[in-house]
């Protein structure tokens, strides 16, 4: 039973060490961390007082008196109240982290949707570009055919004119 509070302190210190490594904490998160750390310091002090009260023996023949035991009980009550406050503040601290995580996830989702929209737009534009390139090729083929026909017609006309002029001269 005596080791449970010590384990809780070690876990809280580990958690605060993990949170201390994050450089992008918000100011509210930092304030909340400071509150938790202050509460942990208070608990450490009260636990030291409790240890001292356990060794205090002011009775006859070095025995514990009722006052000594009541003092130890009062200190334990304070430790329990401090532990409750630590848990409440740690819960608030975790809520900050959860909120931050949800915010980041929301931003990731929005960014993902935006990227998907960009990809869809790019795909549509590429399909449109491919369609237009095919239309250009068809139009160029038609243009080449018309140019060939025009050239053939021009050559036929020139040949006809040449033949006609030669006949008239003859």
């Amino acid at each position: 039973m005596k080791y449970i509070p010590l384990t809780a302190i070690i876990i809280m210190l580990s958690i605060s060490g993990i949170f201390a490594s994050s450089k992008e904490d918000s100011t509210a998160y930092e304030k909340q961390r400071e509150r938790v750390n202050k509460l942990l310091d208070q608990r450490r002090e009260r636990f030291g007082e409790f240890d001292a009260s356990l060794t205090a023996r002011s009775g006859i023949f070095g025995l514990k008196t009722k006052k000594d035991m009541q003092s130890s009980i009062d200190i334990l009550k304070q430790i329990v109240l401090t532990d409750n406050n630590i848990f409440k503040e740690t819960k608030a601290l975790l809520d900050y982290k959860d909120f931050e995580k949800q915010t980041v996830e929301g931003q990731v989702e929005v960014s993902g949707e935006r990227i998907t929209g960009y990809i869809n737009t790019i795909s549509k534009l590429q399909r449109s570009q491919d369609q237009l390139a095919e239309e250009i090729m068809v139009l160029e083929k038609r243009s080449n055919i018309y140019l060939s026909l025009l050239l053939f017609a021009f050559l036929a006309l020139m040949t006809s004119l040449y033949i006609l002029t030669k006949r008239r001269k003859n």
Side-chain angles (χ1 to χ4, degrees):
M1 187 76 172
K2 185 177 177 182
Y3 295 104
I4 292 174
L6 290 174
T7 306
I9 290 173
I10 292 171
I11 290 172
M12 295 301 159
L13 289 174
S14 298
I15 288 172
S16 67
I18 290 170
F19 290 140
S21 66
S22 177
K23 293 183 181 180
E24 297 179 9
D25 292 344
S26 65
T27 57
Y29 176 78
E30 285 297 323
K31 288 178 182 177
Q32 190 65 26
R33 244 187 64 212
E34 289 174 12
R35 283 188 210 140
V36 171
N37 286 335
K38 285 179 186 176
L39 287 171
L40 287 171
D41 290 340
Q42 287 176 2
R43 190 193 189 290
R44 213 174 292 118
E45 289 173 13
R46 288 188 179 140
F47 196 77
E49 292 172 11
F50 176 70
D51 274 345
S53 75
L54 287 177
T55 58
R57 297 173 188 269
S58 61
I60 301 176
F61 305 114
L63 297 175
K64 280 189 163 260
T65 63
K66 186 176 181 182
K67 186 178 179 182
D68 293 336
M69 292 187 349
Q70 186 61 44
S71 173
S72 294
I73 290 171
D74 290 341
I75 293 172
L76 273 178
K77 284 181 182 178
Q78 290 176 351
I79 289 173
V80 169
L81 291 174
T82 304
D83 284 347
N84 288 341
N85 287 337
I86 288 171
F87 291 134
K88 286 178 189 174
E89 296 298 327
T90 303
K91 171 83 169 94
L93 194 64
L94 292 174
D95 288 344
Y96 279 124
K97 270 301 183 189
D98 288 342
F99 175 74
E100 194 174 274
K101 180 181 174 186
Q102 289 172 351
T103 302
V104 169
E105 286 175 352
Q107 290 173 347
V108 166
E109 186 176 325
V110 167
S111 296
E113 290 172 358
R114 195 177 292 159
I115 289 171
T116 303
Y118 291 149
I119 289 172
N120 289 338
T121 301
I122 289 170
S123 297
K124 287 178 186 176
L125 290 173
Q126 284 176 340
R127 283 191 298 260
S128 176
Q129 183 181 11
D130 291 342
Q131 234 177 4
L132 291 173
E134 286 179 19
E135 286 180 28
I136 288 172
M137 286 175 49
V138 167
L139 291 174
E140 283 179 347
K141 285 180 183 177
R142 282 185 189 167
S143 174
N144 288 340
I145 290 171
Y146 291 141
L147 185 61
S148 298
L149 287 175
L150 181 65
L151 186 61
F152 179 75
F154 181 71
L155 286 175
L157 181 66
M158 292 305 278
T159 307
S160 301
L161 285 175
Y162 178 74
I163 292 174
L164 280 175
T165 53
K166 259 194 170 193
R167 276 190 189 171
R168 283 192 182 169
K169 285 185 183 179
N170 285 338

